[in-house]
Amino acid sequence: MANFSTHLKIGVFVSGGTVLALDGLGLVAPNHAFALFGLGVLGSLLPDIDADASSPVRAIFGLLGAALAFGWTLPMVGRYPPLELALVWGGLFVATRYLLLLAFARFTVHRGIWHSWLAAAFVALATVNLAYWVLHQPSKPAWVAGLMVGLGYLTHLTLDEIYSVDIFNSRLRRSFGTALKPLSFSDPKSSFLMAAAVALLFWLTPTAEFGPLPAWAGASAWIEQTLARVVEWSGTSFAVVSAWFTQHVRM
């Protein structure tokens, strides 16, 4: 399977391109772009929360804890004393970073239910409900936030499956089929509970109100504009890599 560094790099690339594309569709507010990018990257790391308590997994739970703590307390700034907010922030972070990590290490199996389509739907819908009901975001940005997390999650699963194929030796590794699967066939109980949770979250989600998207007549202009921005963004990275290659690699 792909390692932590590969998941992070591909997550950054996919999330950046997706935010640019959604911005071209008018679905991203200017002050939400960086947050959505961060959600996409976080989603691309989330499936490995069922792994052992290694350094990357601890980092994932640390990021998740900080994101939940900030997301919960920032809307309360100005309404509650700073000391109370600090206590709430610290409590949420500690509960996520340490207690939730221990629970996952105890009750989950790597490449189990959290490496499935059901899990991707769960984290996406949970994000929608958290943004709408807890952070009091309108319907459209809440659904876009869920889309970013879900897309990042599926990117991780797809990458794991790609790395399960040994192209040069023309064979499939034993891990093939354990990541990008609809549910956990080896654990029907977990699959049932996850499906029930997905159904409940879907029932709680607000109506998706995206408004009119760009007409087909303007689709080519939108595609051209989006591609130009992606090329501009990627060009900077390519220039940096090329400069490093020229400086450090001697032919």
Side-chain angles (χ1 to χ4, degrees):
M1 64 179 179
N3 59 25
F4 180 82
S5 176
T6 301
H7 282 304
L8 180 61
K9 292 173 183 176
I10 299 299
V12 166
F13 180 79
V14 172
S15 300
T18 303
V19 170
L20 290 176
L22 292 175
D23 181 61
L25 287 170
L27 297 177
V28 177
N31 59 331
H32 288 172
F34 185 76
L36 291 173
F37 170 75
L39 286 174
V41 175
L42 180 62
S44 70
L45 303 176
L46 276 179
D48 280 341
I49 58 177
D50 61 2
D52 293 333
S54 60
S55 295
V57 174
R58 290 196 295 270
I60 292 172
F61 274 91
L63 290 172
L64 184 61
L68 289 175
F70 277 118
W72 192 283
T73 56
L74 283 179
M76 301 179 183
V77 173
R79 293 187 292 157
Y80 295 92
L83 180 59
E84 292 184 12
L85 292 178
L87 291 174
V88 172
W89 193 101
L92 286 172
F93 178 80
V94 170
T96 305
R97 169 61 180 82
Y98 296 100
L99 300 182
L100 189 60
L101 173 59
L102 289 175
F104 267 85
R106 172 66 177 82
F107 296 106
T108 63
V109 177
H110 189 47
R111 291 296 186 98
I113 187 60
W114 289 99
H115 277 70
S116 68
W117 302 350
L118 273 178
F122 174 83
V123 297
L125 293 174
T127 302
V128 175
N129 282 289
L130 180 65
Y132 185 79
W133 297 109
V134 178
L135 304 182
H136 306 294
Q137 294 295 315
S139 171
K140 183 170 75 172
W143 275 100
V144 172
L147 171 66
M148 290 301 302
V149 174
L151 179 62
Y153 205 98
L154 288 174
T155 299
H156 181 115
L157 301 185
T158 303
L159 199 58
D160 275 348
E161 288 297 351
I162 292 174
Y163 271 71
S164 297
V165 179
D166 190 338
I167 299 176
F168 298 103
N169 290 329
S170 300
R171 66 184 180 88
L172 299 178
R173 296 188 174 94
R174 293 179 58 186
S175 60
F176 182 77
T178 61
L180 196 59
K181 57 184 183 292
L183 47 86
S184 177
F185 298 101
S186 61
D187 191 355
K189 181 179 178 181
S190 295
S191 296
F192 174 78
L193 292 175
M194 184 68 77
V198 168
L200 176 61
L201 288 171
F202 183 76
W203 180 71
L204 292 173
T205 54
T207 303
E209 299 175 352
F210 291 99
L213 297 177
W216 283 110
S220 60
W222 168 75
I223 292 174
E224 182 179 352
Q225 178 187 9
T226 301
L227 287 177
R229 295 180 67 181
V230 172
V231 169
E232 180 183 0
W233 174 68
S234 302
T236 303
S237 300
F238 180 77
V240 173
V241 173
S242 298
W244 181 90
F245 187 89
T246 302
Q247 181 179 357
H248 293 86
V249 179
R250 298 290 183 264
M251 301 301 293

